[in-house]
Amino acid sequence: MTRPDSLPPERLAIPPLLAALVLVLAFAPPAGAQLHVTRAGAAHAALASGPRVALARADSALARAALITARALPNPSLSAQHSGAPPQRHLLVDVPFDAPWVRGPRIGAAEALGRAAYLRALSERAAAQLEVDTTYTRALGAEARFRLSRLTARDADSLRKMTSLRRDAGDASDLDVDLATVTAGQQANVAAADSLSYMSALLTVQTLMGIPADSVAIALDDTLRLQPADVRSLLALTDSMAIVAPAAAASVEILPSVAAARASLQASELAIARERRGVWGLTSFQAGVEWHDPTVDPTDNEKLWVLGVTVPLPLFNQNQGAIAQATAERDRARAELAAARLEMRQRYVEGFRELASLRARVARDQDLVVRAERVAARSLTAYREGASALPAVLEARRTAREMLGQYIDDLTALVTLQAELRVLTQTVPHP
């Protein structure tokens, strides 16, 4: 973990002692790691091999195939017959007539579904990239937590040994040794639990990258900090908090998920028109020829031309089932669009509100960490000099540890929220 040094001093000042504390938590790759992965590398692997993007690509291919099917013209049929009654030989060609008033809505619905699949693929790509980005950030936070707890456990064990030596020298009691031993054991348990959480976070990143999670095969190369461009966008977004609510309604309309739901609604409306106009079925025209009458002179056996038309009669079935199904799908698509808009607007407004709160908490944490570490260091010095009791030292060190852990958690949440807001405010291309 490193400090967010790109933030302006007047907005998020970093005390020098905090920088020293953060350097103690500098990341080192876990034992046995084979692949050093950056945040961008993890996102690239997730987009190339992740299951969510693979499913979205399959849906897009299915939509393209459906469009090809919708645009295809029905094939004619050739019928050759021989009868006992003259004329004995018959050759007929049946050409279906794809009416424009039926073909147009069918192709329009397929094109709308294609746009929906394209936008849904963009949404899945953005969601997959956001998922691996936030998981990567949480893994960095879990690593910082683990290294903090491991360092705390070592310090607690050192304090236990110091207390034992002081007891042997007559400057401490058995109660102090027991208290120091209990504290050291607790910190060892916390370090073990944080180690498991860190390993679990790494395996989750591997899974999103498409790497089997039977063992840890990656190490995180990035650090827990905000990039300069991200900081500038955060400052601009925070300064514009007053216009968040009015802008939310317009901003969510450009999101791929909302645009995909809107395209699905358009496709379902065209599907209703297609089913209503297809009540009469598919009309076809026939043309052919008949010849060969054995009862007449072969030299005078002329060919007879045949022309006809086939019109389905909707007597028993007026396509009501298909129309009702298309209407139900339209109502469902309309509800999904309304739900997507409401959900995105809520997250949009909540995200910007959380942004201001998190930035204030991170700035406050930085100051409190320095003060808590200062109190812990002075308490330990006083204990060594015999001017302070052991419980005061343990309490001061516990407070310092909790404050630094809170700083790690708040910074992790801030980086995660920044990535989510970047997705919520991006403009996507349209087909």
Side-chain angles (χ1 to χ4, degrees):
M1 183 189 68
T2 60
R3 62 186 180 92
D5 49 359
S6 54
L7 290 178
E10 65 276 9
R11 304 301 291 269
L12 282 179
I14 308 296
L17 183 56
L18 179 60
L21 292 174
V22 173
L23 289 177
V24 177
L25 302 176
F27 296 132
Q34 300 177 355
L35 179 63
H36 291 259
V37 178
T38 63
R39 188 187 301 271
H44 179 75
L47 294 179
S49 306
R52 297 186 63 168
V53 179
L55 290 175
R57 284 197 295 264
D59 291 341
S60 298
L62 181 61
R64 289 193 296 268
L67 179 59
I68 294 175
T69 302
R71 289 175 174 173
L73 293 173
N75 291 319
S77 60
L78 177 64
S79 173
Q81 301 175 359
H82 179 83
S83 62
Q88 294 179 326
R89 297 172 184 175
H90 313 268
L91 188 63
L92 296 175
V93 176
D94 188 279
V95 181
F97 175 66
D98 195 5
W101 54 86
V102 177
R103 177 180 174 83
R106 184 179 70 245
I107 295 178
E111 290 176 344
L113 287 177
R115 287 195 301 272
Y118 169 79
L119 294 169
R120 199 172 293 112
L122 289 181
S123 178
E124 287 299 315
R125 285 180 61 88
Q129 189 169 4
L130 176 61
E131 183 180 16
V132 72
D133 187 279
T134 55
T135 305
Y136 193 99
T137 300
R138 294 190 183 100
L140 290 176
E143 183 179 10
R145 271 282 190 177
F146 162 60
R147 301 197 182 282
L148 171 62
S149 59
R150 186 175 62 177
L151 179 61
T152 303
R154 291 175 180 174
D155 291 343
D157 188 65
S158 298
L159 183 60
R160 180 191 61 80
K161 294 178 180 178
M162 180 193 303
T163 306
S164 298
L165 293 176
R166 287 174 63 95
R167 181 197 57 184
D168 296 340
D171 294 335
S173 64
D174 291 338
L175 179 61
D176 291 339
V177 174
D178 291 341
L179 183 58
T181 302
V182 170
T183 302
Q186 289 177 338
Q187 296 308 315
N189 290 336
V190 171
D194 289 342
S195 175
L196 292 177
S197 298
Y198 172 43
M199 293 299 105
S200 176
L202 281 181
L203 294 178
T204 303
V205 175
Q206 284 185 202
T207 302
L208 295 177
M209 294 174 58
I211 301 176
D214 50 353
S215 63
V216 176
I218 64 173
L220 307 181
D221 262 8
D222 282 10
T223 53
L224 190 61
R225 63 187 178 90
L226 292 172
Q227 300 295 334
D230 298 335
V231 174
R232 288 192 296 269
S233 64
L234 283 175
L235 296 177
L237 292 174
T238 305
D239 293 337
S240 61
M241 284 292 294
I243 61 174
V244 167
S251 298
V252 299
E253 295 299 327
I254 66 174
L255 296 179
S257 58
V258 177
R262 192 166 56 247
S264 297
L265 176 59
Q266 180 183 3
S268 61
E269 290 174 346
L270 290 173
I272 295 177
R274 176 195 63 200
E275 298 299 338
R276 286 177 176 172
R277 297 178 185 180
V279 171
W280 286 88
L282 192 63
T283 303
S284 62
F285 298 96
Q286 296 86 35
V289 62
E290 298 177 342
W291 74 96
H292 189 66
D293 186 352
T295 62
V296 300
D297 185 4
T299 60
D300 194 23
N301 196 357
E302 64 175 335
K303 295 180 174 60
L304 303 177
W305 295 98
V306 178
L307 296 176
V309 60
T310 300
V311 179
L313 299 178
L315 298 179
F316 307 110
N317 176 20
Q318 287 79 35
N319 209 25
Q320 296 301 316
I323 294 175
Q325 181 178 353
T327 303
E329 292 177 354
R330 188 270 315 275
D331 296 339
R332 178 181 176 84
R334 185 176 295 167
E336 289 178 348
L337 176 59
R341 284 171 173 167
L342 290 175
E343 181 181 355
M344 290 297 103
R345 288 174 186 173
Q346 177 186 4
R347 189 60 197 132
Y348 191 88
V349 175
E350 287 181 351
F352 279 89
R353 289 175 178 172
E354 292 175 8
L355 175 63
S357 175
L358 280 174
R359 292 192 64 245
R361 287 167 55 182
V362 168
R364 190 182 305 113
D365 290 343
Q366 292 165 356
D367 178 65
L368 294 178
V369 164
V370 174
R371 295 179 184 273
E373 285 291 335
R374 186 185 303 141
V375 172
R378 290 176 178 176
S379 298
L380 182 59
T381 301
Y383 177 69
R384 287 173 177 170
E385 296 174 354
S388 177
L390 180 61
V393 178
L394 297 178
E395 179 64 21
R397 293 171 68 86
R398 182 188 62 81
T399 302
R401 180 182 67 252
E402 290 180 354
M403 285 308 309
L404 188 52
Q406 186 63 50
Y407 172 73
I408 293 172
D409 293 342
D410 289 341
L411 186 58
T412 300
L414 181 60
V415 176
T416 301
L417 180 60
Q418 186 272 336
E420 184 176 356
L421 290 178
R422 185 173 61 247
V423 172
L424 288 177
T425 55
Q426 69 180 357
T427 302
V428 297
H430 290 272

